[in-house]
Amino acid sequence: MFIRLTARILRWLVCGRVGPLWMWKALLLFVAIVFAGQLLGVIFNRSGVQPAVHSIFSSPDAQGSSLGSCQPHNHIMFLKTHKTASSTVLNMLYRFGEEHSLRFALPLGYQLGYPLPFNAHRVKGYRGPRVVEFHIMGNHMRFNKMEVEKVMPADTFYFSIIRDPVALTESSFAYYKEVAPAFRKAKGLGEFADDPNRYYDPRLRNNQYARNLLWFDFGLDHNANFSVALAQRGEDLIRRTFKLILISEYFDQSMILLRHALCWPLDAVVSFSLNARQQKPIVGGVSGIWMGKAAAAAGVGGGRSQARMPPNLSLTEDQREKLRQWNALDWYLYKAFNRTFWEEIDRFGRKQMEREVALLRMRREHLARVCLRDGGKPVEAHRIRDKNIRPFQSGFVRILGYELQPGLDNATRMSCLRMIRPEIQYKDLLDSKQFPQVPPIQAPQNPMLLAAGAGSFLRPESSKREIGGRTIEEGSKDWDGSRLVQRNQTVVRGSGTGRSP
């Protein structure tokens, strides 16, 4: 239309012979510019160039329902219990901390001295109480409140997660079959449940996986004889410290309670299940990115390629009841905190909880379609093309992982990658960001060492001695070369400074 109008003006000017020469030139130049602009617009539209789009993680749905005027918690201590979906929870903490540039209380290796009671000097970069501000602590430890309080600020929010002891024992048996002596001796879980005392020796390392594992992780004596009075004292100790205890069997409801307790957006608690297992025959025993010839040579998983069946985990109802009795302290904790969990939901509002759980699940399904291949179906580690996101393998079952959807924009891909990055690789990434000048400690080639809690990577320079039932390495060094010495059965920094040559 504009061109036709211009043509009319030109005819009028030509016929009327009106206007100086400069007006003609200016008009012709203007027409040429307009024509070129239209032509270029058609070309670009046909080429499919579209304006930049926002990542799905920046949409209003990412925030969820209103949380009012509360402020997000930044000081958080998560007691990462074993086989309770705690790896999925830790991934949420890693994501939130990384996105908000928070500082993590990371271990020297991969666990905070487990299975020994936690000691503050197991934290990489710890310089003494209140010297360095740490925001988030969440790697495996045996809880020791006095030592944790040396690392974390006074306003820290403490929480943890527990699971039905029967289901927990089933998972532990599959995962720690070659680690816990009590499990290694039994052919199947039912056989162990029929007579645990036949296989269990409290003096053997790693047998904590076979009895009252929750009680042990909370720093209590898991071999103590059960009594109601003892169980109540343990419950009271936990309640005085931990503001929230989540329940693995009600994971989505737990995430809603956690979101409101921490004042976090919805996407911060949306997750994909990590460290999930698949029970199928495994060729060549333990496999995956962390398994190699060194592990096979050490006798873990066998040196020859052969089919190995997962352990028999079937249980009769009578055997399930025997496991509850065997794990009586854990069973007491589970019943007590399951009761108060639902009391908390009643205070929150059942209808409101149903609405928010529905939103959480819708959001998870949406992100799975966007982020993951095959709509989010987990796959075996060896099928994952990117070796950097293959999950660590242990035991007689396969640990599954995910593959990213191809063709994602950079912002979306980064957010999706955070959601599926396995725990070990994520810890290494955060470690390299916090300590760029310190070479990271490599994961042990034998995966059973890692599964057994080989997280205390001190460099010994002299002899060891036994004090109070604990092995102390005299002359050991912290991550930066500072000497660790023994004082009153507590490992502390010595007066020496600087790195060793």
Side-chain angles (χ1 to χ4, degrees):
M1 181 177 177
F2 177 79
I3 294 177
R4 288 197 297 270
L5 179 60
T6 305
R8 291 196 194 100
I9 295 173
L10 285 172
R11 285 197 298 271
W12 178 76
L13 289 172
V14 171
C15 295
R17 297 177 183 177
V18 179
L21 183 62
W22 65 267
M23 184 182 296
W24 285 68
K25 292 181 179 179
L27 185 60
L28 288 172
L29 179 62
F30 176 73
V31 171
I33 292 173
V34 170
F35 179 75
Q38 288 184 335
L39 182 61
L40 289 173
V42 170
I43 293 173
F44 281 120
N45 285 336
R46 288 180 178 175
S47 68
V49 175
Q50 301 294 330
V53 295
H54 293 290
S55 169
I56 185 176
F57 291 90
S58 61
S59 70
D61 291 340
Q63 297 300 313
S65 60
S66 173
L67 295 172
S69 59
C70 63
Q71 295 297 315
H73 276 279
N74 285 339
H75 294 142
I76 301 159
M77 191 279 161
F78 171 55
L79 178 61
K80 188 179 187 294
T81 50
H82 287 78
K83 315 316 298 173
T84 57
S86 60
S87 291
T88 303
V89 178
L90 182 60
N91 173 268
M92 299 175 193
L93 299 178
Y94 278 169
R95 282 156 40 198
F96 185 87
E98 184 186 11
E99 290 166 4
H100 294 82
S101 300
L102 302 182
R103 187 175 185 85
F104 292 88
L106 296 173
L108 297 171
Y110 290 93
Q111 303 189 51
L112 290 163
Y114 192 87
L116 295 176
F118 172 71
N119 182 287
H121 285 282
R122 295 297 186 184
V123 173
K124 192 171 183 178
Y126 174 75
R127 299 288 185 182
R130 294 174 295 279
V131 175
V132 177
E133 181 184 16
F134 292 99
H135 297 96
I136 297 177
M137 172 183 279
N139 292 86
H140 276 309
M141 69 160 66
R142 190 177 185 198
F143 189 67
N144 183 350
K145 183 180 179 180
M146 291 181 61
E147 290 293 310
V148 171
E149 288 177 339
K150 293 179 181 178
V151 179
M152 300 303 293
D155 64 345
T156 296
F157 181 90
Y158 289 75
F159 78 102
S160 189
I161 185 169
I162 62 175
R163 184 182 185 183
D164 182 328
V166 176
L168 190 152
T169 303
E170 178 189 19
S171 183
S172 293
F173 191 89
Y175 196 81
Y176 299 115
K177 182 71 168 68
E178 294 298 290
V179 172
F183 288 157
R184 189 164 57 241
K185 296 175 184 178
K187 294 180 180 178
L189 181 56
E191 183 178 290
F192 174 82
D194 283 333
D195 188 7
N197 284 303
R198 176 185 173 189
Y199 305 99
Y200 184 80
D201 185 342
R203 299 168 298 178
L204 297 182
R205 180 182 173 90
N206 295 324
N207 262 349
Q208 76 274 4
Y209 296 117
R211 188 177 196 187
N212 291 314
L213 182 53
L214 292 173
W215 196 265
F216 182 87
D217 285 351
F218 277 102
L220 305 172
D221 181 6
H222 67 130
N223 287 314
N225 293 325
F226 177 83
S227 71
V228 173
L230 173 65
Q232 287 177 340
R233 286 199 299 273
E235 177 192 352
D236 291 342
L237 283 172
I238 294 170
R239 289 193 188 279
R240 284 202 295 267
T241 300
F242 292 86
K243 302 294 191 300
L244 181 63
I245 299 294
L246 310 178
I247 305 292
S248 178
E249 284 77 7
Y250 307 105
F251 191 83
D252 289 345
Q253 292 86 345
S254 294
M255 292 303 99
I256 298 302
L257 291 181
L258 181 64
R259 174 187 176 238
H260 283 263
L262 297 178
C263 194
W264 282 8
L266 179 62
D267 270 9
V269 298
V270 174
S271 62
F272 306 132
S273 178
L274 299 181
N275 216 26
R277 59 189 171 95
Q278 177 190 56
Q279 297 184 34
K280 282 187 177 181
I282 298 178
V283 177
V286 183
S287 61
I289 187 171
W290 300 108
M291 180 62 186
K293 294 180 180 179
V300 180
R304 292 183 300 173
S305 178
Q306 58 183 358
R308 299 184 67 180
M309 296 297 293
N312 183 0
L313 301 177
S314 60
L315 293 168
T316 66
E317 187 53 44
D318 181 59
Q319 289 169 336
R320 296 174 70 85
E321 182 57 34
K322 287 179 179 178
L323 284 178
R324 293 187 188 101
Q325 295 175 10
W326 174 247
N327 296 285
L329 293 168
D330 277 8
W331 181 234
Y332 179 93
L333 283 185
Y334 182 78
K335 291 189 295 183
F337 285 105
N338 184 62
R339 182 178 62 254
T340 52
F341 177 83
W342 288 102
E343 290 172 357
E344 184 68 26
I345 288 180
D346 285 335
R347 286 190 292 271
F348 184 86
R350 296 269 180 139
K351 292 295 184 182
Q352 179 65 18
M353 177 60 71
E354 290 175 4
R355 287 191 292 269
E356 297 210 20
V357 165
L359 289 174
L360 176 89
R361 291 171 178 170
M362 287 175 57
R363 184 65 175 165
R364 180 189 296 132
E365 291 173 2
H366 189 192
L367 293 182
R369 289 193 298 270
V370 171
C371 291
L372 308 177
R373 282 181 179 267
D374 302 324
K377 182 180 178 181
V379 297
E380 297 172 357
H382 71 276
R383 297 185 183 276
I384 299 174
R385 296 174 179 83
D386 185 352
K387 295 182 178 181
N388 293 319
I389 56 175
R390 289 180 181 174
F392 163 73
Q393 302 293 303
S394 176
F396 286 80
V397 293
R398 294 189 187 278
I399 306 302
L400 305 178
Y402 300 95
E403 280 209 282
L404 284 177
Q405 193 80 265
L408 299 173
D409 64 85
N410 288 339
T412 301
R413 187 182 187 281
M414 180 58 66
S415 295
C416 291
L417 181 59
R418 286 182 177 132
M419 295 184 72
I420 67 170
R421 182 176 280 125
E423 177 182 338
I424 292 175
Q425 292 94 312
Y426 215 149
K427 183 267 172 185
D428 286 341
L429 174 67
L430 297 173
D431 193 306
S432 65
K433 287 185 175 182
Q434 285 190 193
F435 304 97
Q437 305 304 319
V438 181
I441 296 174
Q442 297 298 318
Q445 289 297 311
N446 188 332
M448 290 304 171
L449 294 177
L450 187 60
S456 307
F457 293 94
L458 296 176
R459 298 189 293 272
E461 288 197 345
S462 62
S463 63
K464 303 177 181 178
R465 52 186 183 134
E466 190 78 14
I467 300 179
R470 294 176 57 188
T471 300
I472 304 300
E473 302 180 17
E474 295 186 32
S476 296
K477 292 196 173 186
D478 203 346
W479 65 275
D480 63 347
S482 301
R483 291 184 177 275
L484 297 178
V485 298
Q486 171 70 22
R487 291 180 186 169
N488 299 324
Q489 300 187 18
T490 301
V491 180
V492 298
R493 286 176 178 269
S495 58
T497 58
R499 293 181 180 274
S500 58

